[in-house]
Amino acid sequence: MIGLRDDTDSAPPPPVRSRAPEMAAHIFAEDGLLVGPLALEHRPEQEQMARAVAAAMRDDTPLLFEAGTGVGKSLAYLAPGIIHAVDCSRQLIVSTHTISLQEQLETKDLPICRRLFKSSPELARYADFKSAVLVGKSNYLCTTRLATALADRASLFADADYDELQRIAAWAQTSQTGLRHELKPPPRPDVWDAVNADSSSCSRKHCDCEKCFYQRARARLRSAQVIIVNHALLFALINAGGAQAQGATTDTRGVLFPDDFVVLDEAHTVPDVATENFGLTLSSYGVDRALKYLYNPRTKRGLLRKFGHAEAQQLVLDALDASRLFFDFIASTLLAQRPIVRVRETGVAEPTLEGPLEALHRLIGKLADKLEDGRERDELLEQKLRIKSLQAGLTEWLTLGDKAHVYWAERSGRKQTIVSLRSAPIDVAPELRKHLFGCGTSVICASATLAIGGHLAPFARRVGADDARAIAVKSPFDFERNMRVYIAADVPLPSPQEAKLAIETLTDYIRFCTLRVDGGSLVLFTSYTDMRAVAANLEETYRASRRPFMMQGADLSRTELTKQMRDLGNAVLFGTDSFWTGVDVPGDALAQVIITRLPFDPPTHPITEARCDHIRERGGSPFNELTLPDALIKFRQGVGRLIRTARDRGVVTILDSRVLAKSYGRLFVDSLPISEFTRLTREARENRFHPFATTEPG
């Protein structure tokens, strides 16, 4: 029963005690519950991680933990995290970078935790924990907005759009989640904008919480002990206010929700993802959609058709014309020669769009003031705020408003016709220190690759976690027995003069190495141009040898390509940037990883360029402090694609002779899981290249 506090008894309630540390010791010990009832293997490294994680959660302190492949880090943070969440009535936020790890957590690791808790009477109270996946609001259908759109079809939609709206309505009758990705083919963006939950119209005040897909999802989130999210959404929500936006006071601990605590898995990607989301993005496409939501001159429909009049519609037309002229000017001047250009000085364009946006902002405010409180007024006020946000972003970009940010323009889209104005923090550590590690709650970063040369301090500095406890444990796998490393000594060093010869040599080596390995081969490139050139040379070879060949950038996503590679058993897959991390293909289906070039990012992107300038200004070396560490982490990730289980065997073949010819090459060799390697040359490779025999010939 809930009642008023009895002021005669003013003693504070006793602090809630977390049993996570003692239970972690009980679960992960050599004779613990994982080994007994669940018949899983005891891993000392996993036990060490679980104990450290439980202590960090109990003490609300940060922890950086590098756990090599096979440690079982998911269980090492989930089991103590769930216990801590239930004991303390708090929420555990688990953030991942890849969809594949999210799916593993949902379908494999959380069910293991439930079985674990059910296996022991003293853990039984934790077995009923609830979990939920946090997805952005715009991915959900709002039934209230759908009903409004159907009722207001004359104002909002032309006939073709109304047909699409009816298709969405029919799907909503059978959908269990109301998530956009379940609707095939995907809904048209302009129609989905009118019915998704990313609006003030979708709220507990306006929606039936039993019927609205998003409100139902929010209810599940509120009662969940474990919430799974991806890094991009996590940092977008943090940037939008985080726990404070959810009603927490400034002195309440919590990152995303009041009193939560956080695990960031695949944490090696955190600096880049946070950088991407703590900046500004303002595109010609986004401005066009925002304005046409108000009034679309092609269809003669839109929100202001219902609330506005000729003056309001004309102001939208003025803003659309100004937007077109403004972004066309950026495209024809700044972006005439290159698709990405850094902006170093103000005055690259006149603020011709600001006036029309300001006029529209004022008029929408006047229209809203004429309405009574309710859904329609909230909708107008939200659009007023949206226009103001566009105006503020434009002003910041034109004036280079934040001295701690780098600014640039870029072209994107299939036809390279979308112009975006971008910014990002040059140093993301202060942002993460404030919005993540400075929130008074435990934040745990876990990954197989956090260390540089065996040290975690560089990563800690980069993410603003200087005071965090840092631990690294090696993989329990027997790499010395199950991995072989080959390094080509005669591939020409990268240079414009040797580019043609280098492609010919890479092609020759890749043909030889992939055809000598019976299982699957993942060939990792650092350049789309190189990848396409080698593919053009080898596609006929693979076709003639009846070897399945796949390449990134065609019709299939990374997840679909990875699944096909697992299923085929002996495919050759060419991939670039995103394939260096997160690909998980156990067994002979991935028996070889070929690294064509060391993954040095060229210092041409504005963010990299600005960071190099920043390092030089304080007397540092951009190569040693930025370029080399980033390449080492990515290299370790690429190598880590090979051995995914204790029974896996395979070869890593490195076709970049800089590993042998340059002084920094030793750092790459030292980061390999084994100490020995074999040098290859084209003359001697027949006798030196000895891959493992596959257990199941493909």
Side-chain angles (χ1 to χ4, degrees), residues 468-490:
R469 185 183 182 197
I471 303 172
V473 295
K474 292 186 177 181
S475 168
F477 293 163
D478 189 350
F479 288 102
E480 296 291 345
R481 179 189 294 269
N482 293 328
M483 178 185 282
R484 294 172 187 166
V485 176
Y486 297 93
I487 302 177
D490 56 349

Side-chain angles (χ1 to χ4, degrees), residues 66-237:
E66 177 176 290
T69 307
V71 165
K73 63 181 185 300
S74 301
L75 286 181
Y77 61 69
L78 282 176
I82 293 166
I83 292 169
H84 186 68
V86 173
D87 283 346
C88 303
S89 299
R90 298 174 65 182
Q91 291 183 306
L92 165 63
I93 310 294
V94 179
S95 183
T96 76
H97 183 59
T98 59
I99 294 173
S100 59
L101 180 53
Q102 276 200 4
E103 291 173 346
Q104 177 193 311
L105 293 173
E106 288 180 72
T107 62
K108 178 185 174 185
D109 296 322
L110 287 175
I112 289 176
C113 288
R114 211 174 294 281
R115 281 171 45 214
L116 167 69
F117 297 144
K118 287 180 179 179
S119 71
S120 168
E122 62 183 321
L123 294 176
R125 64 185 294 254
Y126 304 109
D128 293 329
F129 73 86
K130 296 178 182 177
S131 64
V133 178
L134 179 59
V135 180
K137 288 185 71 175
S138 63
N139 292 284
Y140 286 97
L141 175 69
C142 171
T143 51
T144 300
R145 296 192 78 205
L146 175 64
T148 301
L150 289 166
D152 291 346
R153 59 166 295 190
S155 301
L156 296 172
F157 298 104
D159 290 342
D161 296 329
Y162 187 64
D163 290 342
E164 176 72 343
L165 188 68
Q166 288 183 308
R167 184 174 76 92
I168 294 172
W171 163 75
Q173 296 297 316
T174 58
S175 175
Q176 296 299 307
T177 66
L179 285 168
R180 175 177 55 182
H181 70 262
E182 292 184 356
L183 179 57
K184 306 294 182 186
R188 290 220 313 274
D190 51 342
V191 179
W192 186 256
D193 271 357
V195 296
N196 72 45
D198 194 12
S199 164
S200 59
S201 296
C202 181
S203 65
R204 282 194 277 180
K205 181 170 75 171
H206 300 308
C207 291
D208 182 340
C209 294
E210 296 298 317
K211 294 181 180 179
C212 176
F213 292 107
Y214 178 69
Q215 295 304 323
R216 277 161 43 192
R218 289 292 297 179
R220 288 194 295 272
L221 282 174
R222 284 191 291 272
S223 64
Q225 283 84 28
V226 184
I227 297 173
I228 300 172
V229 66
N230 65 56
H231 292 345
L233 180 57
L234 174 78
F235 288 113
L237 292 171

Side-chain angles (χ1 to χ4, degrees), residues 58 86 132 361 479 500 611 618 620 661:
R58 175 197 63 200
V86 173
H361 171 261
F479 288 102
K500 186 172 184 295
R611 285 176 175 164
R618 55 176 176 74

Side-chain angles (χ1 to χ4, degrees), residues 166-412:
Q166 288 183 308
R167 184 174 76 92
I168 294 172
W171 163 75
Q173 296 297 316
T174 58
S175 175
Q176 296 299 307
T177 66
L179 285 168
R180 175 177 55 182
H181 70 262
E182 292 184 356
L183 179 57
K184 306 294 182 186
R188 290 220 313 274
D190 51 342
V191 179
W192 186 256
D193 271 357
V195 296
N196 72 45
D198 194 12
S199 164
S200 59
S201 296
C202 181
S203 65
R204 282 194 277 180
K205 181 170 75 171
H206 300 308
C207 291
D208 182 340
C209 294
E210 296 298 317
K211 294 181 180 179
C212 176
F213 292 107
Y214 178 69
Q215 295 304 323
R216 277 161 43 192
R218 289 292 297 179
R220 288 194 295 272
L221 282 174
R222 284 191 291 272
S223 64
Q225 283 84 28
V226 184
I227 297 173
I228 300 172
V229 66
N230 65 56
H231 292 345
L233 180 57
L234 174 78
F235 288 113
L237 292 171
I238 289 173
N239 194 35
Q244 272 65 52
Q246 300 296 326
T249 59
T250 54
D251 59 349
T252 301
R253 62 187 175 184
V255 173
L256 209 55
F257 301 107
D259 213 24
D260 64 16
F261 56 107
V262 179
V263 173
L264 294 151
D265 204 339
E266 299 176 310
H268 57 279
T269 63
V270 161
D272 288 340
V273 180
T275 297
E276 181 81 9
N277 284 278
F278 281 145
L280 167 72
T281 299
L282 183 67
S283 72
S284 55
Y285 177 71
V287 172
D288 192 68
R289 278 180 66 177
L291 292 172
K292 286 180 178 176
Y293 181 76
L294 296 172
Y295 180 69
N296 188 327
R298 180 182 63 82
T299 63
K300 311 295 186 199
R301 303 293 195 278
L303 186 68
L304 294 184
R305 166 82 182 269
K306 179 178 181 181
F307 295 115
H309 41 74
E311 180 190 358
Q313 294 168 14
Q314 185 59 50
L315 286 179
V316 175
L317 295 177
D318 293 345
L320 282 167
D321 287 342
S323 174
R324 191 161 42 250
L325 290 171
F326 176 81
F327 285 107
D328 283 351
F329 179 80
I330 298 292
S332 62
T333 54
L334 271 182
L335 300 174
Q337 304 298 322
R338 290 185 291 154
I340 301 178
V341 176
R342 184 178 175 185
V343 176
R344 297 173 180 269
E345 297 177 351
T346 59
V348 296
E350 294 297 320
T352 51
L353 182 53
E354 286 190 343
L357 288 178
E358 175 58 28
L360 190 57
H361 171 261
R362 285 198 305 268
L363 184 70
I364 295 173
K366 290 179 182 177
L367 293 173
D369 290 341
K370 295 178 181 178
L371 298 176
E372 299 291 330
D373 283 343
R375 183 186 56 78
E376 292 182 340
R377 184 172 187 273
D378 288 347
E379 175 94 7
L380 281 174
L381 289 175
E382 182 174 44
Q383 294 308 312
K384 176 187 173 184
L385 188 63
R386 190 177 185 186
I387 296 299
K388 190 65 178 178
S389 177
L390 294 177
Q391 191 183 357
L394 186 65
T395 301
E396 183 198 328
W397 191 86
L398 288 170
T399 60
L400 310 183
D402 191 331
K403 301 307 177 188
H405 281 219
V406 56
Y407 291 84
W408 73 96
E410 65 183 38
R411 280 188 275 112
S412 60

